Amino acid sequence: MSEDPRAFESALERLTCVIPAGGVGSRLWPLSRANAPKFLLDLTGSGDSLLRATWDRLRPIAPPERIIVVTGNAHRESVAEQLPELVQANLVTESEPKDSSAAIGLAAALLELRDPDAILGSFAADHVIRGDVLFQRAVATAARAADQGYIVTIGIHPSHPATGFGYIACGGSRGDIAQFDLYGVTEFVEKPDAEKAREYLEHGGYLWNAGMFIARASVLLDRMAESEPELVRALREIAAAWGTDRGAEVRERLWPSLPKIAIDYTVAEPAAAAGDMLCVAAHFDWDDVGDFASVANLLTRGRGSDLAVLGDGAQVLSDASSGIVVSDSDRLVALVGMEDVVVVDTADVLLVTSKRRAQDVKNLVNRMKGSGGRHLL
């Protein structure tokens, strides 16, 4: 089958990229906090925040007028400061977090009003991607499939049996839409244990779920409405009043009562069950830097060192040690014979754990919420 480049161009010209910039990133506490969540931080040592890197990655795909950022009211100024090119009308704020169905659904409802044929692509603000050309190619393939009425996700070829990511089970190739890398989706799988993750890697046919979704805005909303009709009704009402004299009143009345539910449950899983979900098997490097172990692996990869150091002016003295040190203080951090250690030194909190237990940092955060430690969160 020969591919018509005009089909790609037409779909891409109607693609608006949405960046959901929410979540605190509690597994990265005490570096990531409510007033400085991980998407606003430089976790790669590049000098740019994860949000800024996401914007720069999307710019070759869409101009500023077709990039929307959805974030909390508390982060409005920080987002605007980091993204001076962002069109003011495309900075969409939430009065309180309501998870990805509401955030992405609101962007879809706004887009639907602007252009009934608009294609939406949702790309998280806190992921690290290497291989921009491969990323652009995957998005172009996804946009073409979305233009035909499918809901499309982008999956990542697993490099190891990761237990921190969800997985996508792929079905047959869809060569009728694109020559390469496009498959049906048979199932979304929750984060597996180590044994199951090894099985997925050995079996093949399973990709990491990177949480990227591409669909016509109206198709996404209609699918969401099948399981959450009141949510979609409210989002469309909010969008209709957006930018008018009634906008604030409608948002204040409807937003607090919206359900907190991930888009995986309202859109992705139902679409897969109905046979309406496709997946682009992408070839770029991807990580969601969900904890300090993943940050350490990212920073040490290919650099000939087993110890990652992050922080402007960080002072670290190490002897036969591995892991990661994140320093936001002027203290010297000295390590002797520490294997896969995680040390995070800030002005008011010192965290010490191991890479193996890095995901459990979230448990500490949850305990602090009810024990008078909220001021440190």
Side-chain angles (χ1 to χ4, degrees):
M1 184 194 78
S2 61
E3 295 178 337
D4 184 355
R6 291 171 298 180
F8 281 97
E9 292 171 5
S10 173
L12 283 173
E13 286 170 359
R14 286 180 289 110
L15 174 68
T16 292
C17 298
V18 175
I19 306 176
V24 175
S26 56
R27 291 185 179 89
L28 289 166
W29 178 85
L31 192 63
S32 179
R33 307 197 192 192
N35 63 346
K38 69 172 182 174
F39 63 85
L40 293 175
L41 304 177
D42 173 13
L43 294 178
T44 64
S46 66
D48 288 326
S49 71
L50 298 182
L51 172 64
R52 180 71 227 187
T54 302
W55 174 276
D56 291 343
R57 186 183 311 122
L58 294 174
R59 273 294 289 110
I61 297 171
E65 57 266 27
R66 288 196 283 112
I67 303 179
I68 294 174
V69 178
V70 184
T71 193
N73 280 339
H75 304 127
R76 181 186 186 95
E77 290 185 8
S78 296
V79 168
E81 182 179 344
Q82 290 199 6
L83 304 177
E85 311 97 315
L86 177 62
V87 177
Q88 185 174 356
N90 287 350
L91 178 53
V92 177
T93 55
E94 307 169 283
S95 56
E96 58 182 290
K98 289 291 183 178
D99 218 321
S100 54
S101 289
I104 298 170
L106 176 57
L110 291 168
L111 276 178
E112 184 183 48
L113 289 174
R114 296 181 188 179
D115 176 6
D117 294 324
I119 298 172
L120 175 152
S122 174
F123 307 97
D126 54 4
H127 292 176
V128 173
I129 288 175
R130 290 172 173 158
D132 284 359
V133 172
L134 295 174
F135 172 75
Q136 293 162 21
R137 184 182 303 167
V139 173
T141 299
R144 182 177 184 182
D147 201 26
Q148 298 193 26
Y150 291 96
I151 296 171
V152 190
T153 189
I154 296 177
I156 311 298
H157 289 282
S159 59
H160 60 281
T163 58
F165 305 144
Y167 285 73
I168 303 165
C170 293
S173 173
R174 291 302 305 267
D176 56 313
I177 299 175
Q179 282 184 308
F180 306 106
D181 300 329
L182 188 65
Y183 302 90
V185 174
T186 60
E187 185 183 11
F188 284 85
V189 183
E190 296 290 342
K191 296 176 183 179
D193 58 27
E195 182 179 355
K196 184 63 70 174
R198 283 192 294 271
E199 287 181 17
Y200 292 161
L201 193 63
E202 293 168 3
H203 176 275
Y206 287 85
L207 303 173
W208 286 336
N209 180 8
M212 305 179 198
F213 298 102
I214 301 90
R216 286 192 178 186
S218 58
V219 169
L220 184 144
L221 287 169
D222 289 346
R223 173 64 67 183
M224 190 182 294
E226 292 180 11
S227 60
E228 294 288 339
E230 290 305 308
L231 169 61
V232 173
R233 183 200 61 76
L235 291 173
R236 281 178 163 147
E237 185 175 346
I238 292 170
W242 198 270
T244 72
D245 294 340
R246 297 178 52 249
E249 179 272 322
V250 172
R251 288 198 302 274
E252 290 173 8
R253 173 167 50 86
L254 296 177
W255 193 264
S257 62
L258 298 183
K260 285 187 176 184
I261 184 169
I263 199 168
D264 303 68
Y265 304 124
T266 60
V267 174
E269 292 183 1
D276 296 329
M277 190 91 196
L278 300 182
C279 179
V280 178
H283 299 279
F284 51 81
D285 290 335
W286 168 88
D287 201 306
D288 75 344
V289 287
D291 58 35
F292 286 111
S294 62
V295 176
N297 294 337
L298 185 72
L299 293 178
T300 57
R301 189 180 304 158
R303 298 190 183 182
S305 172
D306 294 327
L307 181 67
V309 177
L310 187 64
D312 293 336
Q315 300 182 69
V316 179
L317 184 62
S318 170
D319 181 18
S321 297
S322 61
I324 182 170
V325 175
V326 182
S327 178
D328 192 31
S329 75
D330 57 3
R331 283 186 290 250
L332 171 69
V333 178
L335 305 175
V336 179
M338 300 297 294
E339 240 179 88
D340 288 339
V341 70
V342 172
V343 177
V344 185
D345 187 23
T346 70
D348 55 356
V349 176
L350 173 64
L351 170 73
V352 180
T353 184
S354 66
K355 287 172 63 176
R356 185 175 62 85
R357 298 293 299 273
Q359 291 237 336
D360 295 337
V361 171
K362 185 175 183 178
N363 298 338
L364 285 180
V365 172
N366 291 335
R367 285 169 56 185
M368 291 177 66
K369 289 177 181 178
S371 64
R374 284 184 173 272
H375 65 288
L376 295 172
L377 301 179

